[in-house]
Amino acid sequence: MPLTTHPTAGPVTETYWLSQAWLGTHAEPDVLLEVAGGRIAGVRTGVTTPPPGATALRGLTLPGLANTHSHAFHRALRSTVQVGSGTFWTWRETMYRIASRLTPDTYYDLARAVYAEMALAGITAVGEFHYLHHAPGGTPYDNPNAMGEALIAAARSAGIRITLLDTAYLSAGFGPRPSAPLEPDPHQRRFSDGTAEAWAERASLLKGDDHTLIGAAVHSVRAVPADQLATVAAWAEERQAPLHVHLSEQTAENEACLAVHGRTPARLLADHGVLGPRTTGVHNTHLTPEDIALVGSHGTGTCMCPTTERDLADGIGPAAALQDAGSPLSLGSDSHAVIDLFEEARAMELNERLRTRARGHWTAAALLRAATADGHAALGRPDAGVLEPGAPADLVTVAMDSVRTAGPVPRLAAEAAVFAASAADVRHTVVAGRHLVRDGRHTLVPDVPRALAEAVAALHR
């Protein structure tokens, strides 16, 4: 077909030839993609061979994946928390011990390695749900955003985009009445700014750029008193920024909220202006039918994190019902039990099959949309996640000739990617037109496994 171009595109700086490209509804063979200024400037189909000077990406090329929910430091828990038994609440004690050992320098080292692991998995943008703000004991660093800026720098060094969701975390839980929340315990003091106003003052000092967006988060209704929720919501509204919140992840939180406030967490958030189309509820696991309708009617998104939700024995969230109610779905790797958005996508479908004993709740196209366009929109980048002129030139190429993906006919490439591929099948990752992962090797972090091993070991000494 004729070259489709973006009307404001400048001079072409890179050209990629894609043996197969996912164009939102189907896998199209032989696609030429031109890049200018870090964005897709033109798309042409029917180009049967790579033209001179073009970089060939062989496999199925998708828009870059969006990891909508991450706690980078949880990567240091992998395997450690698989010993023994327990619940979310016992897991949390191990998490607190790791959190207490982090400094800006060690957090940079760990996050850089984690974000490089994400790039190897085809993730081009991450939503970092960041609440580890201060030094142990709660004393602010000389630079009050030293920890957040370490995450921003780590993402830049690893080559991926970040939406830093600076998180308000002010209390240890519900108190005996709404006006008397529990004070943060010793582990949580470094998370807290004391008040939502103080949180907003500190968060306002953070700066974004082409690779960095600054958003906000309410950790949960147990961690932000009801009378301070509106302050966080207003901060995000003023900046038209993404706002995320852990919602109904645990039945214990629901029960405590009902006991103190006489309403569910979803209703409490709605009553204080937190729900809305720029808001994403993370997990949304234990919602009532009324909650589902409430979330959907506000256009609030849902980020499912199936590998973490099953790792922590949290339960299976009502993803299909939420989407039917009007809640866009996205995906996150959360605690990084694994970092693999293909696994998250198929797990959402397979969990629903187990719950309902029926198959086929989402097509491969719908699951890819959750992993790409809807995930990027939840992170404040509604123009990303598509292979169209004007979109960011963020791409991931999945091998179609591995032991997992070989065999299906070309028109079923998307089904092979979603239901059989893994992060290990990612061959190339491109961010802003820059070839970040080439033939399975990171171009900026030459030895990602070693970087991970050293960063994690430093926190377990």
Side-chain angles (χ1 to χ4, degrees):
M1 73 177 191
L3 183 68
T4 303
T5 60
H6 189 252
T8 60
V12 171
T13 54
E14 299 286 344
T15 303
Y16 290 97
W17 179 83
L18 319 178
S19 64
Q20 271 191 297
W22 178 250
L23 299 185
T25 57
H26 66 285
E28 179 76 24
D30 303 330
V31 174
L32 189 69
L33 188 148
E34 294 182 340
V35 177
R39 291 184 174 269
I40 298 173
V43 178
R44 189 199 302 267
T45 59
V47 182
T48 55
T49 57
T55 299
L57 304 182
R58 299 185 186 277
L60 175 65
T61 296
L62 309 165
L65 306 179
N67 188 354
T68 308
H69 189 67
S70 163
H71 302 290
F73 75 93
H74 289 190
R75 175 62 177 79
L77 302 174
R78 190 183 293 180
S79 299
T80 301
V81 291
Q82 306 305 333
V83 178
S85 60
T87 66
F88 167 86
W89 305 103
T90 54
W91 168 90
R92 192 172 71 158
E93 294 304 312
T94 305
M95 181 270 286
Y96 283 159
R97 287 197 294 274
I98 292 296
S100 70
R101 298 170 183 169
L102 284 159
T103 67
D105 288 342
T106 58
Y107 206 5
Y108 168 84
D109 291 340
L110 177 61
R112 175 177 178 264
V114 173
Y115 296 152
E117 181 181 357
M118 291 185 192
L120 289 171
I123 293 163
T124 59
V126 61
E128 185 61 39
F129 200 103
H130 167 58
Y131 55 83
L132 222 170
H133 301 304
H134 307 298
T139 302
Y141 291 103
D142 291 341
N143 172 1
N145 284 309
M147 294 294 270
E149 290 179 6
L151 290 165
I152 292 170
R156 184 181 299 113
S157 181
I160 71 171
R161 304 180 193 271
I162 186 172
T163 297
L164 187 74
L165 298 159
D166 197 277
T167 304
Y169 192 132
L170 307 173
S171 62
F174 300 103
R177 56 189 184 280
S179 60
L182 301 179
E183 290 295 316
D185 68 26
H187 288 300
Q188 296 165 335
R189 288 173 189 157
R190 72 181 307 189
F191 308 161
S192 177
D193 292 291
T195 66
E197 289 76 12
W199 165 84
E201 182 178 355
R202 179 187 52 73
S204 296
L205 300 175
L206 289 161
K207 305 298 181 186
D209 56 31
D210 287 347
H211 269 62
T212 304
L213 296 178
I214 306 300
V218 170
H219 179 274
S220 56
V221 293
R222 72 177 185 273
V224 178
D227 62 0
Q228 300 193 58
L229 290 169
T231 299
V232 183
W235 187 95
E237 176 68 23
E238 180 183 341
R239 291 160 178 77
Q240 299 288 284
L243 174 61
H244 289 211
V245 55
H246 290 130
L247 176 55
S248 288
E249 182 179 4
Q250 298 293 322
T251 54
E253 178 180 85
N254 286 6
E255 292 161 1
C257 189
L258 282 165
V260 174
H261 293 285
R263 67 198 81 177
T264 65
R267 172 52 67 184
L268 187 68
L269 293 172
D271 289 348
H272 290 274
V274 175
L275 300 187
R278 283 191 306 281
T279 300
T280 297
V282 181
H283 304 302
N284 292 1
T285 308
H286 301 288
L287 299 180
T288 67
E290 293 77 15
D291 291 338
I292 293 169
L294 187 65
V295 169
S297 67
H298 282 79
T300 296
T302 295
C303 177
M304 303 300 293
C305 306
T307 63
T308 291
E309 289 149 7
R310 67 192 183 199
D311 184 59
L312 298 182
D314 285 346
I316 299 172
L322 280 159
Q323 187 172 59
D324 288 345
S327 179
L329 300 179
S330 57
L331 299 165
S333 62
D334 193 359
S335 69
H336 311 314
V338 298
I339 295 176
D340 188 337
L341 265 287
F342 301 108
E343 175 63 23
E344 304 295 346
R346 66 174 158 265
M348 187 165 70
E349 165 68 23
L350 298 181
N351 283 353
E352 193 71 6
R353 293 182 186 185
L354 285 174
R355 192 180 67 80
T356 63
R357 292 183 291 173
R359 303 177 74 240
H361 301 276
W362 291 277
T363 63
L367 294 171
L368 284 175
R369 181 172 180 85
T372 57
D374 286 345
H376 289 290
L379 297 180
R381 300 183 189 275
D383 59 342
V386 292
L387 301 184
E388 297 176 1
D394 298 351
L395 323 170
V396 53
T397 303
V398 182
M400 288 289 109
D401 56 0
S402 77
V403 293
R404 288 165 292 277
T405 59
V409 296
R411 66 180 177 82
L412 296 179
E415 285 75 12
V418 170
F419 290 103
S422 77
D425 295 309
V426 170
R427 183 172 284 164
H428 304 285
T429 304
V430 173
V431 178
R434 180 182 187 182
H435 211 147
L436 181 63
V437 172
R438 189 187 299 269
D439 294 318
R441 296 189 64 83
H442 201 291
T443 62
L444 300 180
V445 184
D447 192 341
V448 178
R450 180 177 179 179
L452 284 163
E454 291 177 349
V456 170
L459 300 176
H460 287 281
R461 293 191 183 115

Short mmCIF file of all heavy atoms in Angstrom, two decimals, residues 133-134 144-145 166 168 170 192-205 228 231 235:
data_model
loop_
_atom_site.label_atom_id
_atom_site.label_comp_id
_atom_site.label_asym_id
_atom_site.label_seq_id
_atom_site.Cartn_x
_atom_site.Cartn_y
_atom_site.Cartn_z
N HIS A 133 10.26 6.33 50.22
CA HIS A 133 10.68 7.71 49.99
C HIS A 133 11.88 8.17 50.83
O HIS A 133 12.75 8.89 50.33
CB HIS A 133 9.51 8.66 50.29
CG HIS A 133 8.30 8.41 49.46
ND1 HIS A 133 8.33 8.39 48.09
CD2 HIS A 133 7.01 8.15 49.82
CE1 HIS A 133 7.11 8.14 47.63
NE2 HIS A 133 6.30 7.98 48.66
N HIS A 134 11.93 7.80 52.10
CA HIS A 134 12.85 8.42 53.04
C HIS A 134 13.84 7.41 53.58
O HIS A 134 13.79 6.22 53.27
CB HIS A 134 12.07 9.08 54.18
CG HIS A 134 11.01 10.03 53.70
ND1 HIS A 134 11.31 11.15 52.97
CD2 HIS A 134 9.65 9.98 53.81
CE1 HIS A 134 10.19 11.78 52.66
NE2 HIS A 134 9.17 11.09 53.15
N PRO A 144 14.91 15.36 49.15
CA PRO A 144 13.75 14.57 49.60
C PRO A 144 13.24 13.57 48.58
O PRO A 144 12.48 12.67 48.94
CB PRO A 144 12.71 15.64 49.91
CG PRO A 144 13.13 16.84 49.12
CD PRO A 144 14.62 16.79 49.08
N ASN A 145 13.65 13.72 47.32
CA ASN A 145 13.25 12.78 46.27
C ASN A 145 14.41 11.93 45.79
O ASN A 145 14.41 11.45 44.65
CB ASN A 145 12.62 13.53 45.10
CG ASN A 145 11.21 13.98 45.41
OD1 ASN A 145 10.38 13.19 45.84
ND2 ASN A 145 10.94 15.27 45.22
N ASP A 166 4.36 8.40 42.22
CA ASP A 166 4.78 8.73 43.58
C ASP A 166 3.59 8.50 44.53
O ASP A 166 2.51 9.05 44.34
CB ASP A 166 5.27 10.17 43.66
CG ASP A 166 6.06 10.41 44.92
OD1 ASP A 166 5.42 10.65 45.96
OD2 ASP A 166 7.30 10.33 44.89
N ALA A 168 1.39 8.12 48.05
CA ALA A 168 1.07 8.54 49.42
C ALA A 168 0.83 7.29 50.26
O ALA A 168 0.03 6.43 49.91
CB ALA A 168 -0.16 9.43 49.42
N LEU A 170 0.54 6.85 54.42
CA LEU A 170 0.54 7.71 55.60
C LEU A 170 0.16 6.99 56.89
O LEU A 170 0.40 7.55 57.97
CB LEU A 170 -0.42 8.89 55.39
CG LEU A 170 -0.20 9.71 54.11
CD1 LEU A 170 -1.32 10.72 53.94
CD2 LEU A 170 1.16 10.39 54.14
N SER A 192 6.33 7.28 54.75
CA SER A 192 5.33 8.31 55.05
C SER A 192 5.91 9.72 55.04
O SER A 192 7.00 9.97 55.54
CB SER A 192 4.71 8.05 56.42
OG SER A 192 3.80 9.06 56.76
N ASP A 193 5.13 10.64 54.47
CA ASP A 193 5.43 12.08 54.56
C ASP A 193 4.67 12.75 55.70
O ASP A 193 4.77 13.97 55.87
CB ASP A 193 5.05 12.77 53.24
CG ASP A 193 5.95 12.34 52.09
OD1 ASP A 193 7.13 12.71 52.11
OD2 ASP A 193 5.48 11.63 51.19
N GLY A 194 3.89 11.99 56.45
CA GLY A 194 3.15 12.54 57.58
C GLY A 194 1.73 12.93 57.24
O GLY A 194 0.79 12.51 57.89
N THR A 195 1.58 13.76 56.20
CA THR A 195 0.26 14.20 55.74
C THR A 195 0.23 14.19 54.22
O THR A 195 1.28 14.22 53.55
CB THR A 195 -0.06 15.61 56.22
OG1 THR A 195 0.84 16.54 55.60
CG2 THR A 195 0.04 15.72 57.74
N ALA A 196 -0.97 14.21 53.68
CA ALA A 196 -1.10 14.28 52.23
C ALA A 196 -0.58 15.60 51.69
O ALA A 196 -0.03 15.66 50.58
CB ALA A 196 -2.56 14.07 51.82
N GLU A 197 -0.72 16.65 52.47
CA GLU A 197 -0.20 17.96 52.03
C GLU A 197 1.32 17.92 51.92
O GLU A 197 1.89 18.44 50.95
CB GLU A 197 -0.63 19.06 53.00
CG GLU A 197 -2.11 19.41 52.94
CD GLU A 197 -2.99 18.37 53.65
OE1 GLU A 197 -2.45 17.50 54.37
OE2 GLU A 197 -4.22 18.43 53.45
N ALA A 198 1.98 17.28 52.89
CA ALA A 198 3.44 17.16 52.83
C ALA A 198 3.85 16.26 51.67
O ALA A 198 4.85 16.52 51.00
CB ALA A 198 3.97 16.63 54.15
N TRP A 199 3.09 15.19 51.46
CA TRP A 199 3.36 14.34 50.29
C TRP A 199 3.29 15.16 49.01
O TRP A 199 4.17 15.08 48.15
CB TRP A 199 2.35 13.18 50.23
CG TRP A 199 2.37 12.50 48.89
CD1 TRP A 199 3.22 11.54 48.47
CD2 TRP A 199 1.54 12.84 47.76
NE1 TRP A 199 2.97 11.23 47.16
CE2 TRP A 199 1.96 12.01 46.69
CE3 TRP A 199 0.51 13.75 47.55
CZ2 TRP A 199 1.36 12.06 45.43
CZ3 TRP A 199 -0.09 13.81 46.30
CH2 TRP A 199 0.33 12.97 45.26
N ALA A 200 2.22 15.96 48.86
CA ALA A 200 2.04 16.74 47.64
C ALA A 200 3.16 17.74 47.45
O ALA A 200 3.63 17.96 46.31
CB ALA A 200 0.69 17.45 47.69
N GLU A 201 3.61 18.34 48.52
CA GLU A 201 4.70 19.31 48.42
C GLU A 201 5.97 18.65 47.91
O GLU A 201 6.67 19.18 47.04
CB GLU A 201 4.94 19.96 49.78
CG GLU A 201 6.02 21.02 49.78
CD GLU A 201 6.20 21.69 51.13
OE1 GLU A 201 5.42 21.40 52.06
OE2 GLU A 201 7.15 22.51 51.26
N ARG A 202 6.27 17.46 48.44
CA ARG A 202 7.48 16.76 47.99
C ARG A 202 7.32 16.26 46.55
O ARG A 202 8.21 16.43 45.72
CB ARG A 202 7.79 15.57 48.92
CG ARG A 202 9.02 14.77 48.48
CD ARG A 202 9.21 13.50 49.30
NE ARG A 202 8.02 12.69 49.34
CZ ARG A 202 7.57 11.96 48.31
NH1 ARG A 202 8.23 11.97 47.16
NH2 ARG A 202 6.48 11.25 48.43
N ALA A 203 6.17 15.64 46.26
CA ALA A 203 5.96 15.10 44.92
C ALA A 203 6.00 16.18 43.85
O ALA A 203 6.40 15.92 42.71
CB ALA A 203 4.63 14.35 44.86
N SER A 204 5.62 17.40 44.21
CA SER A 204 5.61 18.50 43.24
C SER A 204 7.00 18.88 42.77
O SER A 204 7.16 19.55 41.74
CB SER A 204 4.92 19.72 43.85
OG SER A 204 3.56 19.46 44.11
N LEU A 205 8.02 18.43 43.50
CA LEU A 205 9.40 18.76 43.12
C LEU A 205 9.94 17.82 42.05
O LEU A 205 10.97 18.11 41.44
CB LEU A 205 10.31 18.68 44.36
CG LEU A 205 9.97 19.62 45.52
CD1 LEU A 205 10.87 19.34 46.71
CD2 LEU A 205 10.08 21.08 45.09
N GLN A 228 -7.83 12.42 53.72
CA GLN A 228 -6.69 12.91 52.95
C GLN A 228 -6.68 12.39 51.51
O GLN A 228 -5.80 12.76 50.73
CB GLN A 228 -5.39 12.56 53.68
CG GLN A 228 -5.33 13.18 55.08
CD GLN A 228 -3.96 13.12 55.70
OE1 GLN A 228 -2.98 13.63 55.15
NE2 GLN A 228 -3.87 12.49 56.86
N THR A 231 -6.90 15.12 48.72
CA THR A 231 -5.69 15.90 48.44
C THR A 231 -4.86 15.23 47.35
O THR A 231 -4.35 15.90 46.44
CB THR A 231 -4.86 16.06 49.72
OG1 THR A 231 -5.64 16.75 50.70
CG2 THR A 231 -3.57 16.82 49.46
N TRP A 235 -4.24 16.66 43.48
CA TRP A 235 -2.89 16.85 42.94
C TRP A 235 -2.81 16.25 41.53
O TRP A 235 -2.29 16.86 40.61
CB TRP A 235 -1.87 16.18 43.87
CG TRP A 235 -0.43 16.43 43.54
CD1 TRP A 235 0.38 17.38 44.07
CD2 TRP A 235 0.39 15.68 42.62
NE1 TRP A 235 1.65 17.29 43.54
CE2 TRP A 235 1.68 16.25 42.65
CE3 TRP A 235 0.15 14.59 41.80
CZ2 TRP A 235 2.72 15.75 41.87
CZ3 TRP A 235 1.20 14.10 41.01
CH2 TRP A 235 2.46 14.68 41.06
#
